[in-house]
Amino acid sequence: MFSRLKKEVDAAGDGGIDLAGVQIPLEPGSFYADLGYLPHPRTRKPVLHLAPYQIETWKALLDCGRVLVIKSNKIGLSTSTLMADFQLAVLPSNHPRSCRGYDQLLIAQTIQHAREHLYTLRKLILESQKYRPWLITKSRDMVLKDEATKVTGLYIRNPESENFI
């Protein structure tokens, strides 16, 4: 499945990308639906609604900018927080919480966990029809010639300034 998505991205990547007019939903549930539903781990059916604690955490991040959560493993909070981080990266720069054009750090328990989180986010973006063009997947799309996409980094387009990622 991933190779098919990569082929579609490669095919669509040459035709000029206009992301300036894309509307980004502010409400977490709407952005989740816009990005694309996650498959349920057991049934593989789309999960149509996030859990209340995921929505509350996401809203707190949007409202306050910082959130401290004591959580269990495998409850989906890391994934929903990754989606919130991506939302902040694509929000227009006139929004007070926007991170568009800035670096975002993903900090996890280990480097391996951080790589897995980046892989999860990259896969979510690639599977999204609307947000796929935001992801820079080729080094020729980078600003500097000597830059390269890496497994330890994710590069998102900035439609407000193509000189800055």
Side-chain angles (χ1 to χ4, degrees):
M1 180 172 161
F2 186 71
S3 61
R4 179 182 58 79
L5 285 173
K6 178 137 178 50
K7 287 177 188 173
E8 288 178 19
V9 169
D10 290 345
D14 297 325
I17 298 168
D18 180 22
L19 302 173
V22 175
Q23 294 296 317
I24 311 296
L26 290 176
E27 201 278 316
S30 299
F31 185 82
Y32 169 64
D34 212 33
L35 182 63
Y37 298 123
L38 296 168
H40 189 276
R42 271 185 279 129
T43 65
R44 306 307 299 164
K45 292 181 180 175
V47 178
L48 302 180
H49 305 286
L50 295 173
Y53 61 86
Q54 291 172 308
I55 297 288
E56 286 178 37
T57 304
W58 193 329
K59 283 183 178 178
L61 184 61
L62 288 173
D63 294 342
C64 304
R66 293 177 180 86
V67 179
L68 177 64
V69 177
I70 299 171
K71 69 174 209 71
S72 299
N73 290 329
K74 303 294 180 193
I75 62 169
L77 198 54
S78 295
T79 303
S80 62
T81 304
L82 288 170
M83 290 186 281
D85 289 338
F86 178 65
Q87 180 189 32
L88 294 173
V90 297
L91 279 175
S93 59
N94 61 2
H95 188 278
R97 295 282 178 228
S98 174
C99 298
R100 186 181 279 187
Y102 292 95
D103 290 343
Q104 286 181 289
L105 295 177
L106 189 140
I107 300 171
Q109 302 94 317
T110 64
I111 291 173
Q112 184 58 35
H113 281 96
R115 285 184 179 140
E116 288 172 15
H117 292 324
L118 277 175
Y119 175 77
T120 299
L121 182 56
R122 184 177 286 114
K123 196 170 102 179
L124 287 171
I125 297 168
L126 281 173
E127 290 174 352
S128 171
Q129 194 70 18
K130 179 176 179 178
Y131 294 104
R132 182 183 311 153
W134 291 78
L135 186 64
I136 295 175
T137 58
K138 299 183 185 109
S139 60
R140 73 169 186 251
D141 294 335
M142 302 296 283
V143 176
L144 301 173
K145 296 285 183 202
D146 60 344
E147 287 182 310
T149 58
K150 300 176 184 163
V151 73
T152 56
L154 201 67
Y155 295 96
I156 308 295
R157 292 184 197 285
N158 179 0
E160 294 172 10
S161 173
E162 281 296 327
N163 295 328
F164 300 100
I165 299 172

